[in-house]
Amino acid sequence: SAEEEELRSLGIDFVEMFASTAIRRLRAKGVPVTSILTDREAHPEETLPEQVTVMTPATALRRALSGVFTVEIEQAAKLLADRANSDPLDWRLDQTTDSKLIGGNSFHAELDNGLARRSLLAAFDEAQSTIHIQFYMVQPSDFTEQMIVRLIQRARAGVKVRFMVDALYSDEEVLGRLNPSISSLKQEENIEVLAVNPIVSRKQMDVSRLKKRDHRKLVIIDGRRAFVSGRNAGNEYYMGFDEVPVHDNTRHERIPWLDAHVEVIGPLVRAVQETFMGTWHRQGGARILDDEKTMPELAPSGSASGRLVVHRGLADTNGLAMYESMFDVAEDHVYIVNDYPIVPALERAIYRLLAKDVSVKLLTGNAAARRDDGTFFPAPMHRTLFEYMVKAKLEPLLEAGVEVYEFVPPPSPSTVSRGGRIRPYVHAKLVSVDGRVTSIGSANLDATASFWESEANIVVQDAEFARGVEATLQAFIDGSVALDPESEYWKRERAQRAVVATLWPGSLYS
């Protein structure tokens, strides 16, 4: 396929990953796949949790002639029977995402940056035994300073703090550089800091090392409460739109972004804790004891069911499969919050939705923030070029019938730029389907999240939760700018979008 060729052009063999993905897609549709025929010397048995037999054509022919495909025939019959007795959404997610549905939880979605900040800092203050944190980026900011002070205070009160960051994007242990915002944490006896995939020498600056990063944002308090998020450590993620003064020449990077996290209380927290600990140990962190402090018994805290979907870059396509599965069961409507170029596989899934007359509403933003009249605030050139590229990729979806809206937060007395309103960047990664199932986390709908970087999303399979999230999104949409291909605003940047779409090196580079 075209997407495989684009990835292959980087000099990495993706055959096993794509083979596994193809098998899972077929099984999710109810097509039993029992065998792979291949002459490749490196057989992918160990990377296929589907228990598919791998054999050479010669072995397959020998077995066929001797009539010994009984096991495969039984496997196929069992798969069809299991599928007939399963909920279609559960079946697809079980088959394609390596995740398990867990009941007895309570969930809270937070799309207000100020409330998210206060909730997270309060959770730190309430911790009694452990605080586990994983960020992709840790940036110099007021929020980061507040966070570090709270963590040090809790560590000095006896709480064990483990703080894990992506080395490249937090600039920690990259060619000898250290992030000064993190240095104070390292000085504390009760705090451990770990950089994921550090880059020690320039010889390690290859495509795979630079692209295969850990994009997850996780916070686990006392093993009993978890936050799975799209938010990094920085002001744009944790400052409210009414907390930042904005005038006509405020720079883009000072303007907050729309983002989201989901807070989890209940048995599902154990899965979040386990994925944190697994990464910590694989990256060489000091052993974490599996005791009552880190893995307490978790009684039901609510009636909602959910699952943690973890994608580990280049090892699987769990995040991509999660979104595909949700789209494929939609019958009435889909809400998407995303501001990255959508990977071709998910574009095709969206076209399938439109063909079924499913309503698709996409809430996006502006990679370079705009004033109320659509003109740009001062921004780095790469942000403006990225904005043109993302909008160019959205144009076919817009013309096919997807309703696309640019997010506009409510008016604020602190905003005095032209028109009194802003059109900021949207960093949230959220999909909700039919008032039934909602995904929130770190995974964008782009190629980087689908293939390269490690991601974590919570899929909440609860109608009350989904309806609440969708009501919030619809309220956002009602106050936002609907994109119209015939509008003056859309037409005036058509040339810029065309040039950037032509010159940009592909959706892989998002």
Side-chain angles (χ1 to χ4, degrees):
S1 66
E3 61 188 280
E4 182 176 351
E5 287 305 313
E6 182 176 33
L7 290 166
R8 196 191 297 272
S9 70
L10 294 172
I12 298 171
D13 187 353
F14 292 90
V15 168
E16 291 183 13
M17 183 178 72
F18 278 102
S20 178
T21 299
I23 291 168
R24 290 180 174 194
R25 282 174 174 155
L26 286 166
R27 289 166 64 98
K29 292 177 181 178
V31 180
V33 179
T34 61
S35 311
I36 295 177
L37 308 186
T38 177
D39 281 323
R40 289 167 61 86
E41 293 182 3
H43 290 170
E45 295 106 316
E46 296 179 0
T47 65
L48 292 174
E50 299 84 359
Q51 303 300 314
V52 173
T53 303
V54 181
M55 63 186 86
T56 65
T59 300
L61 181 60
R62 187 167 60 251
R63 289 186 61 189
L65 293 174
S66 59
V68 288
F69 277 110
T70 306
V71 172
E72 284 79 8
I73 293 169
E74 290 175 352
Q75 275 184 305
K78 184 177 185 304
L79 182 137
L80 291 173
D82 289 346
R83 181 175 183 267
N85 295 320
S86 299
D87 173 82
L89 176 63
D90 287 342
W91 173 262
R92 283 171 169 79
L93 291 171
D94 289 346
Q95 291 295 317
T96 62
T97 67
D98 293 330
S99 65
K100 179 182 178 183
L101 186 65
I102 298 173
N105 307 284
S106 61
F107 299 96
H108 173 72
E110 189 55 75
L111 285 87
D112 182 297
N113 292 350
L115 291 177
R117 180 184 74 248
R118 291 188 282 275
S119 176
L120 188 61
L121 295 178
F124 293 155
D125 291 343
E126 294 165 9
Q128 298 298 309
S129 58
T130 60
I131 299 175
H132 291 168
I133 303 175
Q134 181 174 7
F135 278 121
Y136 182 61
M137 293 183 180
V138 176
Q139 303 167 338
S141 67
D142 295 335
F143 168 78
T144 303
E145 298 299 298
Q146 292 180 55
M147 176 184 68
I148 288 172
V149 167
R150 299 293 179 95
L151 295 177
I152 290 173
Q153 289 171 339
R154 296 314 296 150
R156 291 177 180 176
V159 175
K160 181 66 178 181
V161 177
R162 295 180 177 92
F163 193 85
M164 185 161 52
V165 299
D166 182 84
L168 180 61
Y169 284 95
S170 286
D171 203 23
E172 174 71 14
E173 297 189 26
V174 177
L175 303 181
R177 294 196 303 274
L178 300 175
N179 185 328
S181 295
I182 301 174
S183 296
S184 294
L185 296 176
K186 296 180 181 178
Q187 298 171 14
E188 296 296 318
E189 184 177 349
N190 218 21
I191 299 179
E192 296 178 44
V193 175
L194 184 64
V196 175
N197 296 330
I199 298 176
V200 178
S201 70
R202 296 189 181 277
K203 292 181 180 179
Q204 295 180 328
M205 302 285 278
D206 57 74
V207 170
S208 180
R209 190 88 174 184
L210 295 176
K211 291 288 291 179
K212 191 179 176 182
R213 308 308 310 176
D214 202 316
H215 194 238
R216 289 174 283 187
K217 297 96 171 178
L218 307 173
V219 176
I220 308 101
I221 306 295
D222 295 337
R224 297 180 179 276
R225 181 180 181 187
F227 298 81
V228 178
S229 183
R231 292 184 170 97
N232 295 298
N235 280 352
E236 56 265 57
Y237 311 95
Y238 284 103
M239 293 295 289
F241 292 103
D242 58 351
E243 296 179 310
V244 176
V246 178
H247 52 82
D248 276 334
N249 288 295
T250 298
R251 292 197 59 78
H252 160 86
E253 53 266 28
R254 289 190 54 80
I255 297 173
W257 298 352
L258 177 66
D259 217 322
H261 77 229
V262 59
E263 182 178 354
V264 187
I265 300 176
L268 185 57
V269 173
R270 178 178 286 267
V272 184
Q273 182 79 299
E274 286 174 346
T275 194
F276 176 93
M277 292 170 60
T279 306
W280 181 272
H281 290 143
R282 283 192 299 275
Q283 291 293 322
R287 183 168 175 263
I288 303 173
L289 294 177
D290 186 359
D291 56 18
E292 178 62 22
K293 288 186 177 181
T294 55
M295 288 293 188
E297 291 296 322
L298 298 174
S301 178
S303 59
S305 297
R307 61 179 78 217
L308 174 69
V309 175
V310 176
H311 162 57
R312 298 173 181 86
L314 301 189
D316 59 63
T317 56
N318 289 342
L320 173 66
M322 170 189 69
Y323 289 132
E324 278 187 329
S325 297
M326 292 174 67
F327 291 161
D328 285 345
V329 300
E331 297 177 351
D332 184 73
H333 63 267
V334 172
Y335 287 90
I336 301 171
V337 184
N338 180 73
D339 205 350
Y340 282 81
I342 297 175
V343 70
L346 294 180
E347 282 186 334
R348 293 193 291 272
I350 291 172
Y351 290 133
R352 293 197 296 272
L353 291 172
L354 297 174
K356 296 191 300 181
D357 290 326
V358 173
S359 166
V360 181
K361 296 182 180 181
L362 171 62
L363 184 65
T364 189
N366 290 278
R370 297 179 189 263
R371 305 179 187 92
D372 188 51
D373 61 3
T375 57
F376 289 114
F377 285 97
M381 180 58 70
H382 73 274
R383 299 292 313 184
T384 305
L385 294 176
F386 187 59
E387 162 65 5
Y388 290 142
M389 191 273 285
V390 172
K391 291 292 167 46
K393 297 290 185 182
L394 281 180
E395 192 153 15
L397 292 171
L398 185 63
E399 293 176 348
V402 176
E403 299 176 40
V404 183
Y405 302 87
E406 284 185 352
F407 173 65
V408 179
S412 166
S414 300
T415 298
V416 297
S417 55
R418 285 199 296 277
R421 304 185 76 179
I422 57 175
R423 290 147 73 170
Y425 186 50
V426 168
H427 193 255
K429 306 93 170 55
L430 193 159
V431 168
S432 195
V433 173
D434 288 350
R436 177 188 175 195
V437 55
T438 304
S439 170
I440 300 175
S442 69
N444 293 298
L445 280 72
D446 68 341
T448 297
S450 297
F451 303 120
W452 291 97
E453 295 189 333
S454 294
E455 309 284 358
N457 279 47
I458 293 290
V459 178
V460 182
Q461 295 175 231
D462 181 77
E464 183 179 357
F465 179 86
R467 288 195 297 265
V469 169
E470 291 180 8
T472 298
L473 296 182
Q474 188 58 53
F476 287 167
I477 286 171
D478 291 343
S480 295
V481 174
L483 296 187
D484 178 2
E486 300 304 316
S487 67
E488 185 275 333
Y489 163 59
W490 190 255
K491 288 179 178 178
R492 77 185 181 205
E493 294 178 355
R494 182 159 287 160
Q496 291 93 322
R497 291 196 301 272
V499 170
V500 173
T502 300
L503 297 179
W504 199 273
S507 60
L508 181 67
Y509 297 87
S510 59

